[in-house]
Amino acid sequence: MATQNFGIRRLSSSARAGLALAAGALVVLAAQQIRRDETLRRDERRERNQQRDAEFAQQQKLQLYLLNKALEDPDLAAVLSTVEVDSPTQRRQFLFANALYYNALLAYRIGLVTWEELHGYLRITCRNPIFRDYWEATRPHRASLMDSSDESRVGRMMDSLIQDLDEADIEEWWVVGEPPSDQGH
């Protein structure tokens, strides 16, 4: 019987080694599956983001097409613009100012520029008196924006920039104002 017990122990030891090997293999397979799933989710997110960026770009092309039509035809400009203006020239100027603003906003939304770069660009833009007139005339339009939206946050940054530029006692306008923290992104 001693030999039989020895054989069972040996078999038992081999079985344990086999089970340990199988368990190790299962752990490795599970880890590989988790990595594959994470890679798949990351690729799907990247694809969705690329699709969203393409849709933003397509929408921007359509907006620019409509703007072009409005700039060419004062009758169409009157439809596209809902801001009270003094002349057809001022309407075209405001439409163009709107295009500049939305182009910068889109560049930020799709990640072509950082929050700080957007701040720098808008600091230059809001030095223009026609743009400032447009900005003031469209203030009621921005009042209905959700506070958390990109457009609302950028609008608050613009308001702050304009105030900082108005209050600055220096000629070096390019150093005026610090970008607020980008809490939305």
Side-chain angles (χ1 to χ4, degrees), residues 39-111:
T39 300
L40 182 61
R41 281 192 299 276
R42 187 175 51 246
D43 290 347
E44 288 171 350
R45 272 193 311 273
R46 185 178 306 122
E47 220 171 277
R48 280 192 309 270
N49 287 341
Q50 288 172 342
Q51 178 65 30
R52 186 202 69 207
D53 291 351
E55 289 169 357
F56 267 137
Q58 186 61 34
Q59 195 280 331
Q60 184 70 14
K61 284 180 186 178
L62 177 59
Q63 183 67 24
L64 290 174
Y65 170 78
L66 294 172
L67 175 65
N68 237 359
K69 296 299 251 178
L71 289 173
E72 292 169 359
D73 184 338
D75 293 335
L76 296 179
V79 174
L80 186 59
S81 175
T82 59
V83 177
E84 291 295 322
V85 293
D86 297 331
S87 68
T89 298
Q90 187 181 42
R91 183 176 310 285
R92 285 192 307 278
Q93 290 171 333
F94 281 11
L95 287 171
F96 192 76
N98 180 264
L100 289 175
Y101 172 70
Y102 274 100
N103 185 58
L105 179 62
L106 177 68
Y108 171 69
R109 282 178 169 165
I110 63 175

Side-chain angles (χ1 to χ4, degrees), residues 138-152:
T138 58
R139 183 170 302 285
H141 296 128
R142 292 186 300 281
S144 64
L145 296 173
M146 288 180 24
D147 283 346
S148 61
S149 72
D150 286 339
E151 191 172 353
S152 180

